[in-house]
Amino acid sequence: MQKRELLYEGKAKKLYLTDDENLVISEFKDDLTAFNGEKKSSEAGKGALNNKISTELFKLLEASGIKTHFVKMLDDNHMLHKKVDVILIEVIVRNVATGSLSRNLGIKEGTILPFTLVEFDYKNDALGDPKLNDQHALILGLVKYQDELDKLRRMAREINDILHPYFATKGLNLIDFKLEFGKDRDGNIILVDEISPDNCRFWDSVSGEKMDKDRFRQGLGGLKVAYEEVLNRILGK
Ligand code: 5GP
């Protein structure tokens, strides 16, 4: 499958049309951004690691009954996937308090939440991805019906119920993550985007070491080594 015209360039990926109107190709970039694009850098090989990690996780989720946009990994930096209408809601799933939850509500970093928290952010860089409640999402027309919001929450919890225990077997604590969803040509809501250390937080189960993009956000260094370690643990190496 060949890349055709560039359809869209985001912060971490470029999206290309293909000869098949139902399929597109994502190119995973080495660029790193944080704080809504204010902090920028690049790390050679980061894109390939995220492509490989996402590929393994999409395969795992598909095998567990979650519908995703994934078709196949084409090479180190390219993934073939279904073309969807992206729903402009970032679905955030949290098992442990950190990041904006701790900042905004004063919940102590590392507090295990009494139940898994699912939140919605408006996927809108110009506005800085603000928090959304259901009424906001409906008023903005991000989805048409309450049922669709309920489905996003249900799928997010199902995905967490698969990934959290899976990563525990790999010695990684899945702290929180961001999911995106879209509608395929039949109107089904499916999981899209990527699942990688760029949009998940992983803490080593024993040492508590951060193994994700917080290494870049917090200037800790060692980002590539951490991403490689996540991939190696997924592959059982
Ligand atoms: P927080 O709201 O604490 O900054 O992020 C919660 C989780 O969602 C983290 O795992 C973070 O990586 C992910 N996340 C939230 N917003 C974004 C975003 O705009 N881009 C990416 N890549 N991840 C995000």
Side-chain angles (χ1 to χ4, degrees):
M1 187 70 66
Q2 293 295 313
K3 286 198 284 197
R4 297 294 174 201
E5 298 89 331
L6 179 69
L7 191 60
Y8 169 79
E9 177 159 6
K11 285 179 279 195
K13 293 187 288 299
K14 290 182 184 172
L15 193 64
Y16 294 90
L17 294 173
T18 68
D19 291 330
D20 184 329
E21 60 176 6
N22 295 312
L23 297 176
V24 285
I25 292 173
S26 273
E27 179 184 329
F28 285 68
K29 302 198 295 184
D30 289 337
D31 296 351
L32 277 159
T33 62
F35 312 120
N36 202 21
E38 275 171 38
K39 184 171 179 178
K40 287 191 186 133
S41 187
S42 180
E43 180 87 37
K46 191 246 351 174
L49 286 164
N50 282 351
N51 189 22
K52 290 173 189 169
I53 292 168
S54 294
T55 292
E56 294 303 318
L57 296 178
F58 278 133
K59 283 183 184 168
L60 170 75
L61 290 172
E62 284 279 354
S64 310
I66 303 289
K67 298 280 177 244
T68 81
H69 72 161
F70 178 77
V71 176
K72 66 176 172 175
M73 191 173 114
L74 295 174
D75 60 34
D76 272 8
N77 284 82
H78 294 95
M79 179 188 286
L80 181 68
H81 56 84
K82 291 177 195 151
K83 190 162 184 282
V84 299
D85 289 325
V86 174
I87 298 170
L88 296 178
I89 298 176
E90 297 184 345
V91 182
I92 314 285
V93 182
R94 299 180 189 269
N95 297 303
V96 175
T98 188
S100 68
L101 181 69
S102 292
R103 265 197 319 278
N104 294 339
L105 299 184
I107 303 176
K108 192 168 173 291
E109 274 253 348
T111 305
I112 298 170
L113 299 175
F115 54 86
T116 299
L117 174 62
V118 180
E119 303 173 298
F120 293 151
D121 289 357
Y122 185 12
K123 185 174 159 62
N124 183 319
D125 283 342
L127 296 176
D129 296 350
K131 289 271 161 246
L132 286 174
N133 67 26
D134 289 23
Q135 296 165 81
H136 296 141
L138 291 167
I139 286 170
L140 288 167
L142 305 181
V143 291
K144 270 196 186 147
Y145 307 109
Q146 177 67 43
D147 275 6
E148 296 172 306
L149 297 172
D150 297 341
K151 168 125 196 190
L152 295 181
R153 281 202 187 85
R154 203 165 50 244
M155 286 183 76
R157 285 184 191 284
E158 283 169 10
I159 291 165
N160 187 55
D161 287 346
I162 296 162
L163 294 184
H164 189 263
Y166 169 78
F167 278 109
T169 69
K170 307 288 180 183
L172 291 170
N173 191 358
L174 178 60
I175 302 299
D176 59 24
F177 52 100
K178 184 253 307 178
L179 299 172
E180 295 187 24
F181 293 88
K183 282 191 182 171
D184 68 11
R185 62 179 167 168
D186 303 318
N188 300 309
I189 293 179
I190 63 174
L191 179 67
V192 304
D193 193 44
E194 65 182 277
I195 313 175
S196 74
D198 266 12
N199 55 10
C200 301
R201 287 192 174 102
F202 301 110
W203 294 354
D204 183 88
S205 306
V206 177
S207 67
E209 195 182 351
K210 295 179 178 177
M211 312 278 286
D212 54 63
K213 199 167 119 178
D214 273 353
R215 301 207 70 82
F216 168 67
R217 295 187 187 102
Q218 300 175 5
L220 301 173
L223 176 125
K224 197 171 160 194
V225 172
Y227 283 35
E228 275 166 352
E229 178 66 19
V230 171
L231 177 62
N232 285 339
R233 291 198 197 182
I234 288 171
L235 296 176
K237 284 190 186 161

